[in-house]
Amino acid sequence: MKVFISHSSADKPFVRKLKSDLNLNGIETWLDEDELLPGDSLLDKLNSALESSSHFMIILSPIAVESDWVKYELENALKFVELETLEKIIPILYRPCEIPKPLSNLLHEDLSKEIVYLRHGILEFLDDNYYNRLKNLVRSIQQSKSQLQSSDKNELIGKNSLKYSEKNELIELQYKIVGYKSISNFLANQIPLEVREAYSKKDLSNFDAVVLPIQFENYFGTYNFGDVVTFKTGNGTEVHGDFARYGRFNNRIVLPRKIRDSLSVTKIGMYKVLVDINNKTIKVENLTDK
């Protein structure tokens, strides 16, 4: 659970207080001044941070909504939401301003009328409204901390799960299956340019990109961009996708709509996944299936 905090440097006093209060409540945060070092690539750090974050919190103020960098962070966050690697975007209206259109349909916490002051260099609020709002924020974020799921256990057991394959031809796991809307956006934001340029097997517009959990590298070994990933439908028919990469998250599989439809994955959610290590095939079933 990690919250990426997008903001303008002009709002640093408030952002530092909010970060500290979230940390005190056991919520990990990503803040540029804590993570960036001289010589770091801003774009690489941004993508890495968004990919490893579960929530994107954007601090809205007149300066922030005009900031090109804040706009860029929001655009990228929206792409990660589309890929369902970000669970939620949380707008915080810190000072009165026009809320960006992509956020207009989201509920936001409104602190725009709060009176603040600096006490020993630390920002404080004159009344308790901030702390009531903070309570809502913490609860909203912590609600994502559901009880340990089988998918979480997959992440915990990691390589040890190979011991199971010594006795069984099929490994039964549970994963969240998600998708993406645009192959061009997916490839542009998820696959390095040099990898795409080196690929020559077929037209990338027809690329059926598949992202597998990192745990699968223990089962299938090294896959290269464009290698065939084989799925089996309920009647035994094979469906083929194109390997994009192993994901950093170990609790989800990313599939294009064509493959989801072939496997009868009718909605985003948790599914039973049967992995045949010997034949390197994957079968997907509903959790209610016997």
Side-chain angles (χ1 to χ4, degrees):
M1 186 67 55
K2 181 184 290 186
V3 177
F4 183 107
I5 304 179
S6 176
H7 64 287
S8 163
S9 58
D11 301 322
K12 280 288 187 189
F14 168 67
V15 171
R16 287 170 180 152
K17 175 171 179 54
L18 179 60
K19 169 191 176 296
S20 176
D21 290 336
L22 291 174
N23 293 163
L24 285 172
N25 285 276
I27 297 172
E28 186 180 0
T29 54
W30 193 97
L31 191 61
D32 54 4
E33 66 182 13
D34 297 331
E35 305 290 343
L36 295 176
L37 297 173
D40 283 346
S41 166
L42 291 177
L43 297 182
D44 289 346
K45 281 288 187 178
L46 172 62
N47 283 329
S48 176
L50 287 174
E51 191 172 47
S52 64
S53 297
S54 57
H55 294 71
F56 179 85
M57 186 176 290
I58 182 167
I59 311 304
L60 300 175
S61 68
I63 297 178
V65 297
E66 295 299 324
S67 165
D68 289 337
W69 185 251
V70 172
K71 291 177 183 177
Y72 183 76
E73 288 179 336
L74 176 57
E75 289 173 1
N76 278 272
L78 291 168
K79 293 172 185 175
F80 279 92
V81 169
E82 182 178 292
L83 295 170
E84 300 202 14
T85 58
L86 265 177
E87 295 182 21
K88 189 180 292 186
I89 291 179
I90 304 174
I92 308 292
L93 185 60
Y94 176 54
R95 287 293 174 254
C97 62
E98 185 176 352
I99 295 178
K101 188 174 180 180
L103 304 177
S104 59
N105 292 325
L106 297 179
L107 293 176
H108 61 270
E109 293 291 351
D110 190 350
L111 298 172
S112 61
K113 298 179 181 179
E114 297 304 300
I115 299 175
V116 300
Y117 65 99
L118 288 176
R119 181 183 180 189
H120 305 303
I122 299 174
L123 185 140
E124 295 289 353
F125 290 83
L126 282 180
D127 59 34
D128 293 333
N129 183 54
Y130 164 77
Y131 298 99
N132 292 328
R133 299 288 185 176
L134 176 68
K135 187 186 301 182
N136 292 337
L137 282 174
V138 170
R139 286 177 176 171
S140 174
I141 295 167
Q142 289 181 337
Q143 280 178 355
S144 300
K145 291 185 175 180
S146 56
Q147 62 183 2
L148 194 64
Q149 304 279 341
S150 296
S151 57
D152 300 316
K153 295 176 184 176
N154 292 344
E155 190 161 10
L156 292 175
I157 60 178
K159 292 184 178 179
N160 291 333
S161 58
L162 278 176
K163 296 177 182 178
Y164 188 74
S165 69
E166 295 171 1
K167 300 179 181 179
N168 298 274
E169 197 171 285
L170 289 178
I171 297 179
E172 181 179 318
L173 304 166
Q174 289 183 22
Y175 285 102
K176 184 177 184 180
I177 294 184
V178 303
Y180 50 86
K181 296 178 182 178
S182 167
I183 181 59
S184 58
N185 286 342
F186 175 86
L187 293 174
N189 290 284
Q190 297 292 314
I191 307 299
L193 178 60
E194 61 270 21
V195 173
R196 285 178 276 136
E197 289 181 338
Y199 178 78
S200 60
K201 292 181 182 178
K202 71 176 184 181
D203 187 349
L204 283 176
S205 63
N206 297 316
F207 196 87
D208 295 319
V210 172
V211 176
L212 296 176
I214 189 62
Q215 182 181 346
F216 276 51
E217 189 170 15
N218 299 322
Y219 305 147
F220 293 166
T222 301
Y223 268 13
N224 296 314
F225 183 78
D227 284 349
V228 174
V229 181
T230 302
F231 297 86
K232 280 197 173 181
T233 66
N235 61 16
T237 303
E238 290 190 352
V239 178
H240 301 292
D242 302 302
F243 180 77
R245 61 180 175 83
Y246 286 116
R248 295 186 181 182
F249 292 92
N250 202 35
N251 64 346
R252 67 190 67 201
I253 297 174
V254 183
L255 300 177
R257 177 172 292 278
K258 183 172 75 173
I259 294 180
R260 298 201 311 271
D261 290 345
S262 298
L263 299 177
S264 300
V265 175
T266 57
K267 60 181 180 180
I268 300 301
M270 297 298 298
Y271 287 83
K272 180 165 66 177
V273 176
L274 300 174
V275 182
D276 187 327
I277 294 180
N278 293 333
N279 296 318
K280 291 189 176 182
T281 60
I282 302 168
K283 187 176 181 181
V284 177
E285 297 179 354
N286 290 320
L287 288 176
T288 54
D289 288 350
K290 303 296 183 182

